[in-house]
Every structure is written in structure tokens, then in C-alpha cells.
């Protein structure tokens, strides 16, 4: 049986680290590469964190690429209040791999090339602000047609923000990029939103890995990015979802960055995305536990 080909687009903080670890342990998955983006922490630290996770898992053979270091138009935002100044809980790592291990090819160009070389076979999992994806589709408008599927962690469904009044971090960190991606990527698209991850969270007592506890500084286990990755590996994990056309609000003092769900079809968009509502928590918990062994 052929392995599922994944590309991970990350801004490696705590939850991205968990998602990467889950992908690495999955027996039927091949990670073609990891592209990095600004987000939870500045790009240089994202690269260092990604390499740290790969080293912990003895998988430095997977290529890591440097993508965009800033959003298209938005002001830079980071999440050091949750992820720590370095993005991984400020845990010392004297033996962390150096940036010389980062591939010379730029992240966006690498993303385009990997998808072209594996047309119709690649599932792209985006757990960062969507800058890399937005730039890629501007350079190659045909790119979405070459993807098998796209899984995104970002946006919201109840206008509950975690960064602004109505905005989720990834969509607020590059609102224009989120808008472009939801307009231009017409491949099968599944979104794990902020409120969804909150309502499907796991208690800490189900976790046993000291590394994960250490980098979260004991602040609890919110596996935001891991849900998108888990669904990309095994979509039978999703037990309730809905299909709806979506867009992103670009203006508004309170609503900029908010994902808009068009239940009345007023946007006249043919492409509808799958919004995750509920997952099989027992199956998800087992996937998490397996990734932390």
C-alpha cells in the first residue's frame, strides 16, 4: 500500500511540535518536506524549533525549508505569551541542531516543486499563518489543482477570537494570506478551527510525555494544530462536519481576520470547505499517545 505523501507548513511552537511528532510516527505516511513560516515565533526560531523536534525523533533526514519571515500586509504578531520567547517553552537546548541543516532552496519554491513532482498525491497540512501558501499560489496559480487535499488549522466558526475580539491567531497574523488561500485553493479543503479545538480538547491526565509537558510549561494541553494533522493522516477520525463556503473579513475594528461562513450562499462560491465539528476523541487520544512514546 502506498504511503500518504504529506508536506507540513508550520510555525513550530508547542502544538506544531506535537503535530510533527504525530506525522513522524504514522506508519503509512511519508513526509516530503517541512516548510517554515513566521508565526508563533520569528522565522529563525521556527527553523531551529523544527530541527530540534526532528532531532529528538531521530529524523533529521527530512528536509526543512525557510519560507516567509513576515506577513503580506499585516503587522507581525507572535505568540510568546503561550509558546515562550523561543516558541518551545524556553526550554534550554544546548545540543540543538544548527541552521546549516536548513535547505538552501527557499520554502515557497520548494513547496511548489514538491507538489509538481507529486501531482495529485500530496496532502498539504498548514498549521501556520498562510503566507507561504498565498505566495505559492500567486507564483503558480495552477498549484491547488495539483494537490490531493489541504488541511488547515485556523479561523473560527463562532466569531470567538484568541488574539483579537473575533480573530484566531493564524488568520490574524496574516489576514490577507488567509483570504487568498480560501479564495484560490479549490482542492478538497478541511479546516480545524479555534473553537473546534477547544471543544474537542484532551485532559492532561491522558498525556505521558515529559517533553510535551516541559515545552508547554505546565499550561495545559491544547492540541490545536494536531487535529488538522491527525485528520490528514486518517479522516475517519472526523465524526461530524459540515460543508460551507467561507471567506475572511479583511476590514473592521473587531472583525478583521474573522472567518465568515456563508450559510445563505450569498457569496456564490462553488468551492465549499469541510469544517470539522467533532472527532473520535478516543482514536485521537491514541494517536497522540503513540506519537509521544
Amino acid at each position: 500500500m502506498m504511503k500518504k505523501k504529506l508536506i507540513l507548513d508550520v510555525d513550530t511552537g508547542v502544538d506544531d511540535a506535537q503535530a510533527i511528532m504525530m506525522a513522524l510516527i504514522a506508519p503509512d505516511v511519508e513526509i516530503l518536506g517541512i516548510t517554515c513560516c513566521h508565526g508563533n515565533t520569528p522565522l529563525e526560531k521556527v527553523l531551529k524549533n523544527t530541527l530540534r523536534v526532528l532531532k529528538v525523533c531521530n529524523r533529521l533526514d527530512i528536509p526543512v525549508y525557510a519560507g516567509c519571515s513576515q506577513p503580506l500586509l499585516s503587522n507581525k504578531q507572535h505568540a510568546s505569551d503561550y509558546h515562550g520567547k523561543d516558541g518551545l517553552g524556553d526550554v534550554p537546548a544546548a545540543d540543538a541542531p544548527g541552521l546549516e541543516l536548513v535547505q538552501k532552496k527557499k520554502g515557497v519554491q520548494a513547496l511548489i516543486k514538491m507538489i509538481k513532482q507529486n501531482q495529485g498525491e500530496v496532502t498539504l497540512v498548514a498549521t501556520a499563518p498562510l503566507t507561504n501558501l498565498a505566495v505559492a499560489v500567486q507564483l503558480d496559480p495552477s498549484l491547488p489543482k495539483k494537490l490531493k487535499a489541504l488541511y488547515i488549522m485556523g479561523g473560527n466558526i463562532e466569531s470567538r477570537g484568541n488574539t483579537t475580539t473575533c480573530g484566531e491567531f493564524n488568520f490574524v497574523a496574516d489576514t490577507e494570506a488567509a483570504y487568498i488561500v480560501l479564495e484560490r485553493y479549490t482542492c478538497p479543503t478541511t479546516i480545524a478551527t479555534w473553537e473546534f479545538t477547544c471543544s474537542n480538547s484532551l485532559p492532561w491526565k491522558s498525556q505521558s510525555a515529559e517533553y510535551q509537558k516541559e515545552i508547554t510549561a505546565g499550561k495545559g494541553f491544547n492540541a490545536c494544530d494536531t487535529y488538522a494533522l491527525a485528520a490528514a493522516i486518517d479522516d475517519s477520525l472526523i465524526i461530524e462536519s459540515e460543508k460551507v463556503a467561507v471567506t475572511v473579513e479583511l476590514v473592521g475594528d473587531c472583525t478583521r481576520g474573522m472567518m465568515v461562513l456563508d450559510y445563505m450562499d450569498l457569496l456564490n462560491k462553488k468551492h465549499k470547505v469541510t469544517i470539522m465539528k467533532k472527532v473520535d476523541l478516543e482514536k485521537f487520544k491514541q494517536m497522540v499517545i503513540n506519537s509521544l512514546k
Side-chain angles (χ1 to χ4, degrees), residues 1-283:
M1 186 170 135
M2 288 183 61
K3 290 190 173 184
K4 293 182 179 179
K5 296 181 179 181
L6 299 188
I7 297 174
L8 311 184
D9 188 75
V10 302
D11 59 340
T12 304
V14 175
D15 47 350
D16 302 79
Q18 175 67 65
I20 293 170
M21 291 162 71
M22 180 177 286
L24 292 173
I25 202 68
D28 60 343
V29 164
E30 176 188 0
I31 303 175
L32 299 180
I34 300 177
T35 53
C36 294
C37 184
H38 70 91
N40 287 324
T41 195
L43 179 62
E44 182 174 320
K45 293 180 180 178
V46 171
L47 291 163
K48 289 180 179 178
N49 293 345
T50 303
L51 292 169
R52 281 176 62 184
V53 173
L54 292 177
K55 182 176 181 180
V56 167
C57 299
N58 295 313
R59 289 303 309 272
L60 283 171
D61 58 294
I62 294 174
V64 175
Y65 303 92
C68 298
S69 62
Q70 59 186 16
L72 300 179
L73 293 175
S74 305
N75 293 324
K76 278 190 182 180
Q77 295 203 34
H78 302 303
S80 57
D81 55 335
Y82 179 79
H83 295 273
K85 291 180 180 178
D86 72 348
L88 284 182
D90 299 318
V91 177
D95 61 343
L99 290 179
E100 68 275 4
L101 295 180
V102 174
Q103 300 295 310
K104 302 302 181 190
K105 196 173 191 68
K106 296 299 183 182
V108 172
Q109 285 78 7
L111 184 65
I112 293 170
K113 184 177 180 180
M114 288 186 286
I115 294 171
K116 278 186 176 179
Q117 290 178 335
N118 299 273
Q119 291 192 36
E121 299 179 4
V122 173
T123 295
L124 175 57
V125 184
T127 59
L130 296 171
T131 315
N132 287 340
L133 277 68
V135 175
V137 77
Q138 295 292 94
L139 294 176
D140 183 0
S142 69
L143 196 67
K145 295 179 181 178
K146 299 168 185 171
L147 277 172
K148 180 179 180 180
L150 170 62
Y151 286 77
I152 296 171
M153 189 281 135
N156 45 15
I157 50 177
E158 299 169 0
S159 70
R160 296 184 185 181
N162 63 6
T163 303
T164 61
T165 306
C166 296
E168 176 275 331
F169 176 80
N170 283 343
F171 280 27
V172 170
D174 196 338
T175 301
E176 281 71 25
Y179 177 86
I180 289 169
V181 169
L182 293 184
E183 288 294 314
R184 305 281 294 279
Y185 280 74
T186 54
C187 54
T189 302
T190 300
I191 302 179
T193 65
W194 167 243
E195 297 98 332
F196 157 77
T197 64
C198 291
S199 63
N200 287 266
S201 60
L202 294 175
W204 256 125
K205 63 183 180 181
S206 66
Q207 310 308 314
S208 59
E210 290 305 314
Y211 180 66
Q212 189 70 21
K213 289 184 181 180
E214 191 177 22
I215 62 178
T216 55
K219 294 180 181 177
F221 184 71
N222 190 333
C224 297
D225 295 338
T226 318
Y227 290 95
L229 191 283
I233 293 173
D234 181 4
D235 62 5
S236 69
L237 181 79
I238 306 171
I239 57 176
E240 185 180 329
S241 64
E242 62 180 349
K243 284 204 167 188
V244 61
V246 297
T247 188
V248 178
E249 180 58 56
L250 295 174
V251 296
D253 294 335
C254 296
T255 58
R256 176 174 161 81
M258 183 178 76
M259 189 166 75
V260 178
L261 282 67
D262 181 24
Y263 289 111
M264 297 175 66
D265 288 326
L266 297 178
L267 297 175
N268 295 316
K269 293 180 72 170
K270 292 182 179 179
H271 179 58
K272 291 178 168 54
V273 305
T274 298
I275 302 291
M276 295 171 64
K277 302 297 286 288
K278 289 183 181 179
V279 294
D280 183 332
L281 279 177
E282 282 304 311
K283 181 181 286 189

